[in-house]
Amino acid sequence: MAVEFLDIGGAHDGPESGGGGGSPATVATAGPQAPRPAGSGPPEDRGSGGPAPKVVTTRHPGRWVTAAAVVVLLAMAASALITNPAWEWEVVGEFLFAPSVLRAVVFTLELTALGIGFGFLLGTVLALMRMSANPLLSSVAWGYIALFRSIPLILQLLFWYNLALLYPRLSFGLPFGPSFFDIGTMDLIGPVTAAALGLALHQAAYAAEIVRAGLLSVDHGQREAAAALGIPRSRQLFRIILPQAMRSIVPTAGNEIIGLVKGTSVVYIMALPELFYQVQVIYNRNGRVIALLLVATIWYLVMTTVLSVVQHYLERHYGKGRA
């Protein structure tokens, strides 16, 4: 409803009003009023029907400069890789899928699986011992973790490889009692066993802290609620606590697995045919050092990329329902 002002000055002029020369009067009346065109009238009276304000985006010249610099650097790196004949790409293609190299890749993956599998199995036990209310169990777990994290992996591998120098034969029987049978240490712990044992025991120290951190990340109320419902402790751990702890365990565990894939290269000191040792054997015969090192680099890149993709999907799976 609009208010309209009408001019009625000339219609009611009279002597009592002071003559006809008076100013015209106005009367306010209510009634419909035709809408004014959008944008008409003074700027302060314009409503939302006026022209939209001009939107100016924020400019980021620094981003463009940085992106251009990165593109130039990538182009230079690609040119150096492609145009330099010293890389010997034809030799790389010749040995990339050589049978000996493929067997070495498989053996590397086997060592990684053994180290991670037994390492996280033992690490989970150590993590539970570390969180135990029993001071003896907690102290033993703490001592194991501190010891094996302090000794370099290569020294641990050499120790297990030369265990026969300390104990030529290993006996099995009652503690501090008679032995039932014994076996030569070299027959029981060969180079492959020593490598897997060293990798697993070394990895267990780190896995224990990863698992313990994951278990501690679960809210204590979950345990209290499960206990109030009368759920057994083992079921609490495997059905309630551990699935939630996997959200924190998987990212760090994935990094450890990827690190161990590359860490298996230290077993070359035991003359085991893993990837790095095998390419050393080949380039010692033909002298193509750079090309064979590039072969190993490509295979390590492929293995770690595949594991990174698997880690991504595991993180997404265990992160369901998390903001």
Side-chain angles (χ1 to χ4, degrees):
M1 186 71 67
V3 177
E4 187 178 29
F5 292 87
L6 302 178
D7 183 2
I8 58 174
H12 297 285
D13 288 343
E16 66 280 2
S17 63
S23 300
T26 57
V27 177
T29 62
Q33 184 179 10
R36 289 184 296 182
S40 63
E44 62 272 11
D45 294 335
R46 292 176 185 174
S48 59
K54 184 179 180 181
V55 179
V56 179
T57 58
T58 305
R59 292 177 174 82
H60 302 280
R63 295 182 183 178
W64 290 100
V65 173
T66 305
V70 171
V71 170
V72 171
L73 291 175
L74 290 176
M76 293 173 61
S79 175
L81 286 173
I82 296 173
T83 60
N84 190 348
W87 289 103
E88 297 181 309
W89 289 103
E90 66 282 358
V91 179
V92 173
E94 178 185 353
F95 288 97
L96 187 61
F97 296 101
S100 59
V101 173
L102 294 179
R103 287 194 297 268
V105 171
V106 173
F107 184 66
T108 298
L109 293 175
E110 290 174 350
L111 284 179
T112 303
L114 290 172
I116 286 296
F118 289 106
F120 269 87
L121 184 63
L122 179 57
T124 303
V125 176
L126 290 170
L128 297 177
M129 292 173 61
R130 184 83 169 82
M131 299 173 63
S132 174
N134 189 320
L136 178 61
L137 295 179
S138 180
S139 299
V140 169
W142 181 88
Y144 179 95
I145 294 170
L147 177 65
F148 279 84
R149 288 199 303 182
S150 302
I151 304 174
L153 175 59
I154 192 170
L155 293 183
Q156 297 181 41
L157 292 173
L158 289 173
F159 173 82
W160 293 111
Y161 185 67
N162 296 285
L163 186 62
L165 298 177
L166 290 174
Y167 305 100
R169 302 190 67 83
L170 297 176
S171 60
F172 299 88
L174 296 176
F176 306 105
S179 61
F180 300 142
F181 65 94
D182 59 13
I183 187 173
T185 303
M186 290 296 295
D187 298 330
L188 183 63
I189 303 178
V192 177
T193 306
L197 190 61
L199 293 172
L201 295 178
H202 175 78
Q203 194 61 45
Y206 293 92
E209 291 298 282
I210 294 173
V211 174
R212 185 173 73 92
L215 295 177
L216 291 176
S217 68
V218 180
D219 188 78
H220 189 68
Q222 300 286 333
R223 298 180 178 87
E224 293 178 346
L229 293 174
I231 300 176
R233 292 180 64 87
S234 59
R235 190 176 179 85
Q236 292 179 31
L237 175 64
F238 291 105
R239 298 300 299 273
I240 298 175
I241 307 301
L242 198 56
Q244 297 182 66
M246 291 297 289
R247 295 175 177 175
S248 301
I249 293 174
V250 168
T252 314
N255 291 336
E256 287 294 318
I257 295 172
I258 292 173
L260 190 60
V261 169
K262 299 173 292 182
T264 55
S265 60
V266 299
V267 305
Y268 80 94
I269 60 171
M270 305 165 70
L272 291 176
E274 51 81 37
L275 181 58
F276 181 61
Y277 177 82
Q278 191 60 44
V279 298
Q280 280 185 307
V281 171
I282 297 175
Y283 73 60
N284 284 332
R285 289 201 306 259
N286 62 16
R288 304 298 179 87
V289 178
I290 299 298
L292 269 299
L293 289 179
L294 192 57
V295 169
T297 301
I298 293 173
W299 276 114
Y300 281 123
L301 183 61
V302 170
M303 290 187 286
T304 55
T305 301
V306 172
L307 290 174
S308 297
V309 173
V310 174
Q311 175 187 347
H312 167 73
Y313 283 102
L314 285 176
E315 288 182 17
R316 192 168 71 173
H317 171 74
Y318 285 106
K320 290 179 180 178
R322 192 177 189 178

